[in-house]
């Protein structure tokens, strides 16, 4: 029985209920049958029906899922039915479809997963069959090669191999950070903290548990309740925060704020939790527990343009430091379900469009994908193999300050509502680290590498010299590791290479005597002999952003 089958980026899927479940081993047989069907080159016909007619068509085929979709539609006519010539196959679809099967190019069924009907775990489990279709075999091969490369770069495997982190069923959607992974996390945190301080942000910290009454006033309870973890105590319902915005408004509301104090830039590395469906969890990329590099700018309407420019410069500088030069900006306007009236949305959208144009950036339109309280800019990174990752956001919000009664005193002595700009650069630390690992295939830039250099001894006579050198490196704040194991040198180097350590300094009797090291860079078999001062200088230079 067929459920839904939309197109997605680079492909499609179809959710199907089978009496007897299929497996990935069945996909080649299905592909073979698809190719036989294509040989006919049958035409595809479309007809428009009423709700009643559409229901009757699918009743004959006992397609309960299609009937449910039609019944829940808020229309009484204009249901599009597609049928394949010389068969009894029909489908309900918004379309458009190709006019006939001759125009279908190269395709491949890629995988199978489970999917609850309507994404609700209370409903029956369906099987989701994924596929991809391209103009010709050459384009298909390019895409499949990219998928293969993506699998090699999978951050979950690399994170485990590099001993950065792991996941386990006892804490679904949460990360167990190992020492090396936590070093990487802290390096990024301190980098971001310094960037924000120099950009005029003040760091705050807000509670994890917040009474449901605040979420109800803000509108998040209605919108995000199903994704919140809640706890009841003393007849109160508390929610673990899924975002930081309402709490930041509470800080803004403490004391009287003057127009002279604006803009106020409030940042928090906020630990958030969202009750994501277990089937949607995907390592660091989709977690239940994560930390946002979140900030909110409280400003006047007149300051939106200058603050947008300022934020875009900060964001681009950060992405450049992490090695991302190719950034796409998308403008998302009002969604169907939203807070606030059209006048407020017109004001918000015009303000953001004016600001991004004034900042001199090109942007793409992404209709209907704004937040429920305001339009937004989305900043999308393109990685080393061409994949797109949406990370940064800037959202204009006139709604939340009104709902939570935030105001400032203007030059005329009257009270006004501030504009609230929601913004993030990385999005979440967890997801951004996953993107970094996959982008660099685990071989991180030296300034990010948890271990920047390893000192590998050839024999026990070198121990004291290695310890002295370790102290010198630590004094220079260079992250180092010593390897004094009684193993062959080639074995040590091979293992350190698998750990993606950028530099290995080999130390034997000769090096101890001459106060030198033999330095080998990751991916390069050649060794260079360096005096200790030259060695330390080289490592320090390599670790700069």
């Amino acid at each position: 029985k067929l459920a839904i089958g939309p197109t997605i980026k680079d492909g499609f899927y179809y959710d199907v209920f089978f009496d007897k479940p299929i497996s990935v081993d069945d996909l080649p047989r299905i592909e073979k049958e698809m190719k036989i069907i294509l040989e006919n080159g049958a035409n595809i016909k479309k007809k428009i029906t009423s709700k009643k007619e559409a229901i009757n068509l699918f009743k004959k085929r006992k397609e309960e899922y299609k009937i449910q979709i039609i019944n829940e539609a808020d229309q009484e006519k204009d249901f599009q039915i597609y049928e394949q010539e010389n068969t009894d196959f029909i489908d309900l679809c918004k379309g458009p479809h190709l006019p006939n099967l001759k125009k279908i190019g190269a395709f491949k069924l890629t995988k199978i997963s489970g999917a609850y009907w309507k994404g609700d775990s209370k409903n029956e489990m369906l099987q989701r069959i994924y596929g991809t279709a391209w103009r010709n075999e050459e384009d298909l091969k390019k895409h499949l090669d990219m998928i293969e490369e993506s699998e090699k770069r999978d951050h979950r495997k690399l994170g485990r191999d590099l001993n950065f982190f792991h996941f386990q069923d006892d804490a679904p959607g949460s990360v167990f950070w190992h020492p090396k992974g936590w070093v990487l996390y802290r390096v990024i945190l301190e980098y971001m903290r310094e960037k924000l301080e120099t950009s005029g942000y003040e760091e705050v910290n807000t509670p994890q548990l917040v009474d449901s009454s605040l979420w109800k006033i803000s509108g998040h309870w209605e919108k995000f309740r199903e994704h919140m973890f809640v706890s009841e105590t003393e007849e109160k319902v508390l929610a673990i925060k899924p975002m930081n915005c309402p709490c930041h408004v509470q800080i803004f509301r403490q004391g009287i704020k003057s127009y002279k104090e604006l803009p106020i830039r409030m940042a928090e590395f906020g630990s958030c939790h969202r009750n994501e469906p277990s089937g949607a969890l995907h390592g660091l990329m989709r977690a239940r527990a994560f930390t946002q590099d979140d900030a909110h700018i409280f400003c006047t309407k007149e300051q939106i343009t200058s603050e947008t420019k300022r934020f875009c410069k900060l964001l681009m500088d950060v992405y450049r430091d992490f090695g991302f030069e190719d950034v796409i900006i998308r403008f998302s306007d009002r969604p169907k379900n939203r807070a606030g009236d059209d006048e407020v949305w017109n004001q918000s959208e015009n303000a953001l469009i004016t600001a991004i144009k004034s900042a001199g950036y090109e942007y793409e339109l992404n209709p209907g994908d704004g937040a429920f309280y305001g339009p937004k800019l989305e900043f999308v990174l393109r990685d080393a193999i061409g994949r797109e990752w949406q990370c940064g956001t800037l959202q204009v919000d006139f709604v939340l300050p009104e709902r939570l009664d935030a105001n400032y005193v203007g030059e005329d002595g009257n009270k006004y509502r501030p504009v609230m700009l929601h913004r993030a650069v990385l999005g979440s630390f967890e997801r951004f680290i996953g993107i970094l690992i996959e982008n660099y295939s685990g071989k991180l830039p030296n300034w990010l590498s948890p271990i920047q250099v390893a000192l590998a001894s050839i024999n026990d006579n070198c121990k004291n010299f290695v310890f002295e050198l370790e102290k010198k490196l630590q004094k220079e704040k260079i992250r180092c590791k010593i390897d004094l194991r009684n193993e062959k040198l080639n074995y040590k180097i091979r293992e350190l290479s698998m750990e993606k350590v950028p530099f290995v300094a080999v130390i034997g009797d000769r090096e101890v005597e001459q106060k030198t090291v033999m330095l080998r860079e990751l991916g390069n078999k050649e060794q260079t002999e360096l005096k200790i001062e030259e060695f330390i200088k080289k490592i320090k230079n390599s670790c700069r952003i």
Side-chain angles (χ1 to χ4, degrees), residues 319-340:
Y319 288 171
R320 200 173 297 115
D321 285 347
F322 282 106
F324 298 105
E325 300 281 350
D326 193 356
V327 182
I328 303 160
I329 302 175
R330 295 193 176 117
F331 171 72
S332 302
D333 60 12
R334 67 194 73 184
K336 186 177 180 181
N337 298 316
R338 57 184 181 270

PDB file of all heavy atoms in Angstrom, residues 319-340:
ATOM      1  N   TYR A 319      33.539  31.714   9.185  1.00  0.00           N
ATOM      2  CA  TYR A 319      33.537  30.630   8.202  1.00  0.00           C
ATOM      3  C   TYR A 319      34.872  30.554   7.456  1.00  0.00           C
ATOM      4  O   TYR A 319      35.362  29.466   7.159  1.00  0.00           O
ATOM      5  CB  TYR A 319      32.395  30.827   7.201  1.00  0.00           C
ATOM      6  CG  TYR A 319      31.016  30.571   7.767  1.00  0.00           C
ATOM      7  CD1 TYR A 319      29.876  30.893   7.040  1.00  0.00           C
ATOM      8  CD2 TYR A 319      30.837  30.002   9.020  1.00  0.00           C
ATOM      9  CE1 TYR A 319      28.603  30.654   7.544  1.00  0.00           C
ATOM     10  CE2 TYR A 319      29.576  29.768   9.544  1.00  0.00           C
ATOM     11  CZ  TYR A 319      28.463  30.096   8.800  1.00  0.00           C
ATOM     12  OH  TYR A 319      27.215  29.865   9.307  1.00  0.00           O
ATOM     13  N   ARG A 320      35.425  31.708   7.152  1.00  0.00           N
ATOM     14  CA  ARG A 320      36.710  31.744   6.443  1.00  0.00           C
ATOM     15  C   ARG A 320      37.805  31.107   7.299  1.00  0.00           C
ATOM     16  O   ARG A 320      38.641  30.337   6.802  1.00  0.00           O
ATOM     17  CB  ARG A 320      37.066  33.193   6.107  1.00  0.00           C
ATOM     18  CG  ARG A 320      38.106  33.337   4.981  1.00  0.00           C
ATOM     19  CD  ARG A 320      38.282  34.796   4.594  1.00  0.00           C
ATOM     20  NE  ARG A 320      37.039  35.350   4.055  1.00  0.00           N
ATOM     21  CZ  ARG A 320      36.335  36.327   4.641  1.00  0.00           C
ATOM     22  NH1 ARG A 320      36.725  36.846   5.788  1.00  0.00           N
ATOM     23  NH2 ARG A 320      35.224  36.776   4.081  1.00  0.00           N
ATOM     24  N   ASP A 321      37.802  31.398   8.595  1.00  0.00           N
ATOM     25  CA  ASP A 321      38.802  30.812   9.491  1.00  0.00           C
ATOM     26  C   ASP A 321      38.686  29.294   9.563  1.00  0.00           C
ATOM     27  O   ASP A 321      39.681  28.588   9.725  1.00  0.00           O
ATOM     28  CB  ASP A 321      38.669  31.403  10.897  1.00  0.00           C
ATOM     29  CG  ASP A 321      39.211  32.823  10.994  1.00  0.00           C
ATOM     30  OD1 ASP A 321      39.900  33.256  10.042  1.00  0.00           O
ATOM     31  OD2 ASP A 321      38.944  33.495  12.009  1.00  0.00           O
ATOM     32  N   PHE A 322      37.471  28.787   9.435  1.00  0.00           N
ATOM     33  CA  PHE A 322      37.269  27.337   9.472  1.00  0.00           C
ATOM     34  C   PHE A 322      37.461  26.692   8.094  1.00  0.00           C
ATOM     35  O   PHE A 322      37.313  25.485   7.951  1.00  0.00           O
ATOM     36  CB  PHE A 322      35.882  27.004  10.008  1.00  0.00           C
ATOM     37  CG  PHE A 322      35.763  27.116  11.503  1.00  0.00           C
ATOM     38  CD1 PHE A 322      35.081  28.176  12.091  1.00  0.00           C
ATOM     39  CD2 PHE A 322      36.353  26.179  12.334  1.00  0.00           C
ATOM     40  CE1 PHE A 322      34.968  28.281  13.460  1.00  0.00           C
ATOM     41  CE2 PHE A 322      36.254  26.277  13.716  1.00  0.00           C
ATOM     42  CZ  PHE A 322      35.563  27.336  14.292  1.00  0.00           C
ATOM     43  N   GLY A 323      37.761  27.507   7.086  1.00  0.00           N
ATOM     44  CA  GLY A 323      38.078  26.967   5.761  1.00  0.00           C
ATOM     45  C   GLY A 323      36.916  26.926   4.796  1.00  0.00           C
ATOM     46  O   GLY A 323      37.018  26.293   3.745  1.00  0.00           O
ATOM     47  N   PHE A 324      35.818  27.620   5.106  1.00  0.00           N
ATOM     48  CA  PHE A 324      34.654  27.636   4.218  1.00  0.00           C
ATOM     49  C   PHE A 324      34.561  28.986   3.512  1.00  0.00           C
ATOM     50  O   PHE A 324      34.264  29.998   4.135  1.00  0.00           O
ATOM     51  CB  PHE A 324      33.365  27.371   4.998  1.00  0.00           C
ATOM     52  CG  PHE A 324      33.319  26.026   5.655  1.00  0.00           C
ATOM     53  CD1 PHE A 324      33.498  25.896   7.027  1.00  0.00           C
ATOM     54  CD2 PHE A 324      33.111  24.875   4.910  1.00  0.00           C
ATOM     55  CE1 PHE A 324      33.460  24.653   7.639  1.00  0.00           C
ATOM     56  CE2 PHE A 324      33.070  23.624   5.510  1.00  0.00           C
ATOM     57  CZ  PHE A 324      33.250  23.513   6.878  1.00  0.00           C
ATOM     58  N   GLU A 325      34.837  28.975   2.224  1.00  0.00           N
ATOM     59  CA  GLU A 325      34.807  30.211   1.441  1.00  0.00           C
ATOM     60  C   GLU A 325      33.505  30.354   0.653  1.00  0.00           C
ATOM     61  O   GLU A 325      33.086  31.447   0.307  1.00  0.00           O
ATOM     62  CB  GLU A 325      35.997  30.241   0.460  1.00  0.00           C
ATOM     63  CG  GLU A 325      37.364  30.189   1.120  1.00  0.00           C
ATOM     64  CD  GLU A 325      37.819  31.521   1.677  1.00  0.00           C
ATOM     65  OE1 GLU A 325      37.151  32.538   1.394  1.00  0.00           O
ATOM     66  OE2 GLU A 325      38.835  31.550   2.393  1.00  0.00           O
ATOM     67  N   ASP A 326      32.887  29.217   0.346  1.00  0.00           N
ATOM     68  CA  ASP A 326      31.691  29.206  -0.506  1.00  0.00           C
ATOM     69  C   ASP A 326      30.448  29.214   0.383  1.00  0.00           C
ATOM     70  O   ASP A 326      30.074  28.201   0.973  1.00  0.00           O
ATOM     71  CB  ASP A 326      31.716  27.954  -1.386  1.00  0.00           C
ATOM     72  CG  ASP A 326      30.691  28.017  -2.506  1.00  0.00           C
ATOM     73  OD1 ASP A 326      29.909  28.989  -2.546  1.00  0.00           O
ATOM     74  OD2 ASP A 326      30.662  27.094  -3.341  1.00  0.00           O
ATOM     75  N   VAL A 327      29.803  30.381   0.503  1.00  0.00           N
ATOM     76  CA  VAL A 327      28.646  30.536   1.383  1.00  0.00           C
ATOM     77  C   VAL A 327      27.458  31.047   0.570  1.00  0.00           C
ATOM     78  O   VAL A 327      27.559  32.025  -0.157  1.00  0.00           O
ATOM     79  CB  VAL A 327      28.942  31.519   2.540  1.00  0.00           C
ATOM     80  CG1 VAL A 327      27.737  31.631   3.470  1.00  0.00           C
ATOM     81  CG2 VAL A 327      30.173  31.080   3.320  1.00  0.00           C
ATOM     82  N   ILE A 328      26.333  30.357   0.695  1.00  0.00           N
ATOM     83  CA  ILE A 328      25.092  30.746   0.011  1.00  0.00           C
ATOM     84  C   ILE A 328      24.165  31.380   1.048  1.00  0.00           C
ATOM     85  O   ILE A 328      24.032  30.874   2.165  1.00  0.00           O
ATOM     86  CB  ILE A 328      24.402  29.520  -0.610  1.00  0.00           C
ATOM     87  CG1 ILE A 328      25.336  28.801  -1.588  1.00  0.00           C
ATOM     88  CG2 ILE A 328      23.099  29.914  -1.306  1.00  0.00           C
ATOM     89  CD1 ILE A 328      24.936  27.362  -1.861  1.00  0.00           C
ATOM     90  N   ILE A 329      23.521  32.488   0.690  1.00  0.00           N
ATOM     91  CA  ILE A 329      22.568  33.134   1.587  1.00  0.00           C
ATOM     92  C   ILE A 329      21.165  32.965   1.016  1.00  0.00           C
ATOM     93  O   ILE A 329      20.929  33.243  -0.157  1.00  0.00           O
ATOM     94  CB  ILE A 329      22.880  34.636   1.763  1.00  0.00           C
ATOM     95  CG1 ILE A 329      24.300  34.820   2.305  1.00  0.00           C
ATOM     96  CG2 ILE A 329      21.864  35.295   2.687  1.00  0.00           C
ATOM     97  CD1 ILE A 329      24.734  36.269   2.397  1.00  0.00           C
ATOM     98  N   ARG A 330      20.242  32.495   1.865  1.00  0.00           N
ATOM     99  CA  ARG A 330      18.858  32.318   1.433  1.00  0.00           C
ATOM    100  C   ARG A 330      17.941  33.147   2.331  1.00  0.00           C
ATOM    101  O   ARG A 330      18.092  33.147   3.562  1.00  0.00           O
ATOM    102  CB  ARG A 330      18.452  30.841   1.495  1.00  0.00           C
ATOM    103  CG  ARG A 330      19.247  29.984   0.513  1.00  0.00           C
ATOM    104  CD  ARG A 330      18.645  28.595   0.331  1.00  0.00           C
ATOM    105  NE  ARG A 330      19.388  27.873  -0.693  1.00  0.00           N
ATOM    106  CZ  ARG A 330      20.080  26.753  -0.485  1.00  0.00           C
ATOM    107  NH1 ARG A 330      20.108  26.222   0.719  1.00  0.00           N
ATOM    108  NH2 ARG A 330      20.733  26.161  -1.461  1.00  0.00           N
ATOM    109  N   PHE A 331      16.991  33.822   1.688  1.00  0.00           N
ATOM    110  CA  PHE A 331      16.009  34.610   2.428  1.00  0.00           C
ATOM    111  C   PHE A 331      14.691  33.842   2.505  1.00  0.00           C
ATOM    112  O   PHE A 331      14.121  33.463   1.481  1.00  0.00           O
ATOM    113  CB  PHE A 331      15.774  35.960   1.738  1.00  0.00           C
ATOM    114  CG  PHE A 331      14.626  36.730   2.329  1.00  0.00           C
ATOM    115  CD1 PHE A 331      14.740  37.307   3.584  1.00  0.00           C
ATOM    116  CD2 PHE A 331      13.426  36.865   1.639  1.00  0.00           C
ATOM    117  CE1 PHE A 331      13.677  38.005   4.140  1.00  0.00           C
ATOM    118  CE2 PHE A 331      12.365  37.563   2.184  1.00  0.00           C
ATOM    119  CZ  PHE A 331      12.488  38.135   3.443  1.00  0.00           C
ATOM    120  N   SER A 332      14.234  33.576   3.737  1.00  0.00           N
ATOM    121  CA  SER A 332      12.997  32.818   3.954  1.00  0.00           C
ATOM    122  C   SER A 332      11.922  33.758   4.488  1.00  0.00           C
ATOM    123  O   SER A 332      12.105  34.380   5.537  1.00  0.00           O
ATOM    124  CB  SER A 332      13.239  31.684   4.954  1.00  0.00           C
ATOM    125  OG  SER A 332      14.263  30.819   4.487  1.00  0.00           O
ATOM    126  N   ASP A 333      10.794  33.839   3.774  1.00  0.00           N
ATOM    127  CA  ASP A 333       9.719  34.731   4.203  1.00  0.00           C
ATOM    128  C   ASP A 333       8.640  33.970   4.968  1.00  0.00           C
ATOM    129  O   ASP A 333       8.827  32.809   5.348  1.00  0.00           O
ATOM    130  CB  ASP A 333       9.157  35.512   3.017  1.00  0.00           C
ATOM    131  CG  ASP A 333       8.576  34.607   1.939  1.00  0.00           C
ATOM    132  OD1 ASP A 333       8.402  33.395   2.196  1.00  0.00           O
ATOM    133  OD2 ASP A 333       8.304  35.098   0.826  1.00  0.00           O
ATOM    134  N   ARG A 334       7.485  34.608   5.167  1.00  0.00           N
ATOM    135  CA  ARG A 334       6.467  34.122   6.101  1.00  0.00           C
ATOM    136  C   ARG A 334       5.955  32.717   5.777  1.00  0.00           C
ATOM    137  O   ARG A 334       5.626  32.396   4.647  1.00  0.00           O
ATOM    138  CB  ARG A 334       5.302  35.108   6.146  1.00  0.00           C
ATOM    139  CG  ARG A 334       4.504  35.216   4.865  1.00  0.00           C
ATOM    140  CD  ARG A 334       3.601  36.440   4.881  1.00  0.00           C
ATOM    141  NE  ARG A 334       4.380  37.664   4.708  1.00  0.00           N
ATOM    142  CZ  ARG A 334       3.864  38.891   4.759  1.00  0.00           C
ATOM    143  NH1 ARG A 334       2.580  39.063   4.979  1.00  0.00           N
ATOM    144  NH2 ARG A 334       4.638  39.949   4.591  1.00  0.00           N
ATOM    145  N   PRO A 335       5.892  31.854   6.824  1.00  0.00           N
ATOM    146  CA  PRO A 335       5.312  30.521   6.649  1.00  0.00           C
ATOM    147  C   PRO A 335       3.788  30.579   6.762  1.00  0.00           C
ATOM    148  O   PRO A 335       3.213  31.601   7.150  1.00  0.00           O
ATOM    149  CB  PRO A 335       5.911  29.738   7.820  1.00  0.00           C
ATOM    150  CG  PRO A 335       6.090  30.769   8.890  1.00  0.00           C
ATOM    151  CD  PRO A 335       6.412  32.054   8.176  1.00  0.00           C
ATOM    152  N   LYS A 336       3.151  29.475   6.450  1.00  0.00           N
ATOM    153  CA  LYS A 336       1.689  29.409   6.504  1.00  0.00           C
ATOM    154  C   LYS A 336       1.198  29.589   7.940  1.00  0.00           C
ATOM    155  O   LYS A 336       0.278  30.372   8.199  1.00  0.00           O
ATOM    156  CB  LYS A 336       1.210  28.071   5.933  1.00  0.00           C
ATOM    157  CG  LYS A 336      -0.299  27.959   5.818  1.00  0.00           C
ATOM    158  CD  LYS A 336      -0.696  26.633   5.168  1.00  0.00           C
ATOM    159  CE  LYS A 336      -2.212  26.517   5.042  1.00  0.00           C
ATOM    160  NZ  LYS A 336      -2.614  25.228   4.423  1.00  0.00           N
ATOM    161  N   ASN A 337       1.803  28.862   8.868  1.00  0.00           N
ATOM    162  CA  ASN A 337       1.436  28.988  10.287  1.00  0.00           C
ATOM    163  C   ASN A 337       2.417  29.913  10.971  1.00  0.00           C
ATOM    164  O   ASN A 337       3.607  29.588  11.100  1.00  0.00           O
ATOM    165  CB  ASN A 337       1.452  27.606  10.966  1.00  0.00           C
ATOM    166  CG  ASN A 337       0.436  26.666  10.355  1.00  0.00           C
ATOM    167  OD1 ASN A 337      -0.698  27.061  10.092  1.00  0.00           O
ATOM    168  ND2 ASN A 337       0.840  25.426  10.112  1.00  0.00           N
ATOM    169  N   ARG A 338       1.940  31.084  11.377  1.00  0.00           N
ATOM    170  CA  ARG A 338       2.848  32.098  11.915  1.00  0.00           C
ATOM    171  C   ARG A 338       2.165  32.920  12.995  1.00  0.00           C
ATOM    172  O   ARG A 338       0.943  32.961  13.097  1.00  0.00           O
ATOM    173  CB  ARG A 338       3.331  33.019  10.796  1.00  0.00           C
ATOM    174  CG  ARG A 338       2.206  33.708  10.032  1.00  0.00           C
ATOM    175  CD  ARG A 338       2.741  34.528   8.874  1.00  0.00           C
ATOM    176  NE  ARG A 338       1.699  35.214   8.134  1.00  0.00           N
ATOM    177  CZ  ARG A 338       1.057  34.710   7.094  1.00  0.00           C
ATOM    178  NH1 ARG A 338       1.350  33.494   6.672  1.00  0.00           N
ATOM    179  NH2 ARG A 338       0.119  35.411   6.470  1.00  0.00           N
ATOM    180  N   ALA A 339       2.984  33.575  13.797  1.00  0.00           N
ATOM    181  CA  ALA A 339       2.480  34.515  14.791  1.00  0.00           C
ATOM    182  C   ALA A 339       2.563  35.928  14.205  1.00  0.00           C
ATOM    183  O   ALA A 339       3.379  36.206  13.329  1.00  0.00           O
ATOM    184  CB  ALA A 339       3.326  34.421  16.061  1.00  0.00           C
ATOM    185  N   GLY A 340       1.740  36.828  14.712  1.00  0.00           N
ATOM    186  CA  GLY A 340       1.801  38.207  14.238  1.00  0.00           C
ATOM    187  C   GLY A 340       0.944  38.441  13.012  1.00  0.00           C
ATOM    188  O   GLY A 340       0.654  37.519  12.250  1.00  0.00           O
TER     189      GLY A 340
END
